Amino acid sequence: MLDTVSWELPDGTSVREYSDNLVGQSGKLRIIDQTRLPSTLTYLELDELDAIIDAIKRLAVRGAPAIGCAAALGLAAVCRRFPADTPNDAFISQMRTTADRLATARPTAVNLTWALNRCVKTILKVSPSSTKTLRDILLEEALNILAEDIQLCRTIGQHGAELITPGMGILTHCNAGALATGDYGTALAPLYVAHEHGVKFTVFSDETRPLLQGARLTAWELARAGIEVLSICDNMAAQVMKEGRVQLVLVGADRIAANGDAANKIGTYGLAVLASFHRIPCYIAAPYSTFDFSLDNGSAIPIEQRDANEIRRCGNIQTVPDQAAVYNPAFDVTPADLISGFITNKGIIRQPYQQNLKSMVNHV
Amino acid sequence: MLDTVSWELPDGTSVREYSDNLVGQSGKLRIIDQTRLPSTLTYLELDELDAIIDAIKRLAVRGAPAIGCAAALGLAAVCRRFPADTPNDAFISQMRTTADRLATARPTAVNLTWALNRCVKTILKVSPSSTKTLRDILLEEALNILAEDIQLCRTIGQHGAELITPGMGILTHCNAGALATGDYGTALAPLYVAHEHGVKFTVFSDETRPLLQGARLTAWELARAGIEVLSICDNMAAQVMKEGRVQLVLVGADRIAANGDAANKIGTYGLAVLASFHRIPCYIAAPYSTFDFSLDNGSAIPIEQRDANEIRRCGNIQTVPDQAAVYNPAFDVTPADLISGFITNKGIIRQPYQQNLKSMVNHV
């Protein structure tokens, strides 16, 4: 896969189970600089705290699972640079400071703090008599986080691949792919698995205004993997459905309530309505961690309003005049009754969601 | 209004009934250079054939009615420059050459050839004993075309204004406004008339990818007129409908079949589906000339595919990678059963369309 977030051991052994071409310099976090896509594929190798924070802040790495992996590996990379004879107490103290600073890079990204807390807790639990050095344990835990994310992507992909049949047209929105995770992605994972099985299909990738993740990232990663992809503007989705070219809508989610209402990138709700009108199944792919059973339904999910300039300008051109206002919600909530099923690491979950989602999480 | 296309007589009298600030140099076609909007409002004053062709080609003036008016006034402006002692035969011959060249500027624009043919025919019918000069007759006919377009916009606006109630949210797509016509536009005409009557309402303007006519042009002209407008990305329309902020969808059309199926800018069909789902009325505004009774239904309307680069790039940035394909239909067809009514210069026409549209055109 893409090595969106990866690592290479000092002896040159790849630690990423499914990696194909890890060539990074030893001992550093390696990420794709997504801000340069789709024009240029550049890898950044980072082990300085400020550079890692900057990379997360400016969206060189984005997507909640990928941010979590990058933060954990970034923490390990920075702490590897502490002198080898650093006493354990000093190591722990400097590690905590580093983790606290990393956590500020994107305060709302749940996976960021979750991954950092997990790494810190692991070190705090280490017996002082341990023969392993703390920095190796820290790296091991960060690599566990990456490996688990890879595994989640793979199982989602395997379950979802059942839905992909030869000749199918699949419409997706935004980027819930390899660039957003440690591996295959969530919504795109079933496509990668089906592609590996030799199934031929066509993907329609909504460009996803205003930040164009679908055009810049999804079309790029699918084309690179040899999957047939057509980039369309968001307002063309209804037309390709009407033409009979779409048999499945497949998207990710940012948060899913106990009743199955799902928050995802703005435009998802409209797609679900259009899919329902055209009698096209609409599935959401997400790991167990995206389900938030503390929320009864989607009405409690806040809709973040983002900066007007994301819409007002594109590249070097002004698209909306200064005199006009801009409305820029980042997410919408799709009601559960428009969702045909959830593709999770525990299998595909269908109605009634209230009952079936809970029993899934109880088996995690 | 905007003076999208206008003219000033040599004595300084405005010939545009509703113009407020005609300041153009005498004897020239005057148009807004729409390629520079929304950043800069610039007027072009043109009486050279090549410059007029170029302005139409590069979309400095666009929108079928506006192109028709600009072509007719452009023909008059070029022919005014023929020497005053030009014999009638030579005048007619040079006028025909000029009209033929103007007609090539945008070969698919019906109003362009329609307006030029009408001007040429008028000159050919002139009695040789006429006391008026041919060039004055030519200008008179071009001004008639402009005046008729202004009148069509006004009557559409008056009929449609009945639908606009205080506090309403109205969603529109692309630009069927003052910048697309000689005056108030078609879809935007009811808004201008209601605004003149002091009715307060809010317009949601889809940005309309890929060419952003909604953001660049509709948001600009409405804001300039003092109408409250919010620019949104196309994929946000469903969300503002769900929030209960839209009570009316109002768009234009490029061609309407005998049964009411309507071709318009890509994205219109999806909006009509979303409006139907949210039980929001969806109206199409168009003059009698947009109805094509030679087509039984919309299936015969060809969907123009446009250049991939319109989607692949935005300003100075590449948005879709070279490796991915692009699908770029310029129009879609909305089936008649999703349309609540047609706002025409003959009044608002409702179902059954097969019967009511025909009787409208019989009274033209």
Side-chain angles (χ1 to χ4, degrees):
Chain A
M1 282 307 297
L2 270 181
D3 301 335
T4 301
V5 180
S6 54
W7 186 274
E8 192 187 22
L9 285 179
D11 64 1
T13 319
S14 165
V15 293
R16 177 141 173 224
E17 193 180 355
Y18 301 95
S19 294
D20 39 13
N21 61 344
L22 281 176
V23 292
Q25 185 186 326
S26 308
K28 294 190 178 183
L29 163 68
R30 198 171 81 131
I31 56 168
I32 291 176
D33 184 350
Q34 299 189 34
T35 64
R36 304 193 60 186
L37 291 176
S39 314
T40 313
L41 174 58
T42 326
Y43 289 89
L44 302 175
E45 303 203 346
L46 308 170
D47 64 356
E48 291 189 359
L49 178 57
D50 287 341
I52 296 168
I53 291 173
D54 180 60
I56 296 173
K57 271 193 175 163
R58 65 186 184 81
L59 310 187
V61 58
R62 33 64 60 196
I67 289 172
C69 296
L73 288 169
L75 178 65
V78 171
C79 295
R80 287 187 84 75
R81 299 182 63 206
F82 299 163
D85 58 355
T86 306
N88 279 7
D89 284 358
F91 183 96
I92 289 169
S93 161
Q94 290 173 46
M95 173 193 72
R96 295 187 88 142
T97 309
T98 305
D100 287 348
R101 286 206 48 215
L102 274 170
T104 65
R106 285 191 72 188
T108 54
V110 173
N111 294 52
L112 175 63
T113 44
W114 170 84
L116 292 168
N117 286 342
R118 179 167 153 181
C119 291
V120 169
K121 276 184 194 155
T122 300
I123 291 300
L124 296 180
K125 278 188 293 191
V126 171
S127 151
S129 63
S130 167
T131 54
K132 287 187 183 174
T133 65
L134 292 185
R135 59 190 216 171
D136 286 345
I137 295 168
L138 190 60
L139 175 59
E140 200 172 86
E141 189 62 15
L143 291 171
N144 285 341
I145 289 173
L146 177 59
E148 287 169 22
D149 190 53
I150 291 170
Q151 194 53 43
L152 281 177
C153 291
R154 294 283 158 151
T155 50
I156 288 172
Q158 282 151 11
H159 292 301
E162 296 167 17
L163 300 172
I164 316 293
T165 54
M168 199 178 230
I170 298 131
L171 192 143
T172 191
H173 190 69
C174 198
N175 177 262
L179 288 165
T181 62
D183 190 51
Y184 266 16
T186 53
L188 301 192
L191 307 184
Y192 286 117
V193 172
H195 180 67
E196 283 174 359
H197 294 168
V199 180
K200 300 270 182 218
F201 52 87
T202 302
V203 179
F204 293 90
S205 169
D206 274 358
E207 65 176 7
T208 318
R209 286 282 292 153
L211 296 182
L212 298 161
Q213 295 95 332
R216 293 192 303 107
L217 307 178
T218 295
W220 180 84
E221 67 168 83
L222 292 178
R224 184 171 180 275
I227 294 173
E228 187 186 341
V229 56
L230 275 90
S231 196
I232 59 172
C233 296
D234 300 299
N235 63 25
M236 295 168 187
Q239 175 65 18
V240 293
M241 289 182 185
K242 190 177 179 220
E243 291 174 13
R245 300 169 76 182
V246 178
Q247 285 71 46
L248 177 65
V249 172
L250 189 48
V251 293
D254 288 82
R255 214 198 297 200
I256 302 166
N259 73 337
D261 291 352
N264 190 40
K265 181 63 58 196
I266 186 74
T268 303
Y269 164 62
L271 275 185
V273 172
L274 294 173
S276 167
F277 181 84
H278 293 91
R279 300 178 189 284
I280 298 167
C282 176
Y283 281 83
I284 287 183
Y288 71 91
S289 53
T290 306
F291 292 85
D292 183 348
F293 292 97
S294 75
L295 301 175
D296 289 340
N297 60 60
S299 65
I301 303 177
I303 302 294
E304 178 192 355
Q305 294 295 320
R306 290 183 57 87
D307 193 310
N309 280 328
E310 289 182 355
I311 297 182
R312 212 179 273 287
R313 292 167 191 287
C314 187
N316 62 340
I317 63 166
Q318 175 157 9
T319 58
V320 178
D322 294 333
Q323 307 89 312
V326 164
Y327 179 58
N328 186 13
F331 303 101
D332 56 30
V333 176
T334 300
D337 59 6
L338 292 175
I339 299 166
S340 310
F342 293 92
I343 307 169
T344 76
N345 52 302
K346 293 288 175 182
I348 297 178
I349 296 169
R350 293 199 171 82
Q351 292 273 19
Y353 294 133
Q354 197 79 44
Q355 179 183 321
N356 295 344
L357 291 177
K358 265 265 163 65
S359 73
M360 179 257 314
V361 90
N362 289 337
H363 289 87
V364 166
Chain B
M1 281 306 297
L2 271 181
D3 302 336
T4 300
V5 180
S6 54
W7 186 274
E8 190 187 23
L9 284 179
D11 64 0
T13 318
S14 163
V15 293
R16 181 148 168 217
E17 191 180 357
Y18 300 95
S19 295
D20 39 13
N21 62 343
L22 280 176
V23 292
Q25 184 185 328
S26 306
K28 294 189 179 185
L29 163 69
R30 197 171 82 130
I31 56 168
I32 291 175
D33 185 351
Q34 298 189 34
T35 65
R36 303 193 61 187
L37 292 176
S39 314
T40 314
L41 174 59
T42 327
Y43 289 88
L44 302 176
E45 302 203 346
L46 308 170
D47 64 358
E48 291 189 0
L49 179 58
D50 288 340
I52 295 168
I53 291 172
D54 180 61
I56 296 172
K57 271 193 175 163
R58 65 186 183 82
L59 310 186
V61 58
R62 35 62 61 195
I67 290 172
C69 295
L73 289 170
L75 178 66
V78 172
C79 295
R80 287 187 82 75
R81 299 181 62 206
F82 299 163
D85 58 354
T86 306
N88 279 6
D89 283 358
F91 183 96
I92 289 169
S93 160
Q94 290 173 47
M95 173 193 71
R96 294 187 89 142
T97 309
T98 305
D100 288 347
R101 287 205 48 216
L102 275 170
T104 65
R106 285 192 71 189
T108 54
V110 174
N111 294 52
L112 175 63
T113 45
W114 169 84
L116 291 168
N117 286 341
R118 178 167 154 181
C119 290
V120 169
K121 276 185 194 154
T122 299
I123 291 300
L124 296 180
K125 277 189 293 191
V126 170
S127 151
S129 62
S130 167
T131 52
K132 286 187 184 175
T133 65
L134 292 185
R135 60 190 214 170
D136 286 345
I137 295 168
L138 190 60
L139 175 58
E140 200 172 85
E141 189 62 14
L143 292 172
N144 285 341
I145 289 172
L146 177 59
E148 287 169 22
D149 190 53
I150 292 170
Q151 193 53 42
L152 280 178
C153 291
R154 294 283 156 151
T155 51
I156 289 171
Q158 282 151 11
H159 292 302
E162 296 167 17
L163 299 172
I164 316 293
T165 54
M168 198 178 230
I170 298 132
L171 193 144
T172 190
H173 191 69
C174 198
N175 178 262
L179 288 165
T181 62
D183 190 52
Y184 265 17
T186 53
L188 301 193
L191 307 184
Y192 285 118
V193 172
H195 180 66
E196 283 174 359
H197 293 169
V199 180
K200 299 271 182 215
F201 51 88
T202 302
V203 180
F204 292 90
S205 169
D206 274 359
E207 66 175 8
T208 318
R209 284 283 291 154
L211 295 183
L212 299 161
Q213 295 94 333
R216 293 193 304 107
L217 307 179
T218 295
W220 180 84
E221 68 169 80
L222 292 178
R224 185 172 181 274
I227 294 172
E228 186 185 344
V229 55
L230 275 90
S231 197
I232 59 171
C233 296
D234 300 298
N235 63 23
M236 296 168 186
Q239 176 63 19
V240 292
M241 289 181 185
K242 191 177 179 221
E243 291 174 13
R245 298 169 77 182
V246 178
Q247 285 72 45
L248 175 66
V249 172
L250 188 49
V251 294
D254 288 82
R255 214 196 297 199
I256 302 165
N259 73 336
D261 289 353
N264 190 40
K265 181 64 57 196
I266 186 73
T268 304
Y269 165 62
L271 276 186
V273 171
L274 293 173
S276 167
F277 180 85
H278 292 91
R279 301 180 190 284
I280 297 167
C282 175
Y283 281 83
I284 287 184
Y288 71 92
S289 53
T290 305
F291 291 85
D292 183 348
F293 291 97
S294 75
L295 301 175
D296 288 340
N297 60 60
S299 65
I301 302 176
I303 302 293
E304 179 192 356
Q305 293 296 319
R306 290 183 58 87
D307 193 310
N309 279 327
E310 288 182 355
I311 296 182
R312 213 180 272 288
R313 291 169 191 286
C314 187
N316 62 340
I317 63 166
Q318 176 158 8
T319 58
V320 178
D322 294 334
Q323 307 91 311
V326 164
Y327 180 57
N328 186 12
F331 303 100
D332 56 29
V333 176
T334 301
D337 59 6
L338 292 175
I339 299 166
S340 310
F342 293 93
I343 307 170
T344 77
N345 51 302
K346 292 288 172 182
I348 297 178
I349 295 168
R350 293 199 171 82
Q351 293 271 18
Y353 294 133
Q354 198 79 45
Q355 180 183 321
N356 294 346
L357 291 176
K358 265 265 165 61
S359 73
M360 179 257 314
V361 89
N362 289 337
H363 288 88
V364 166

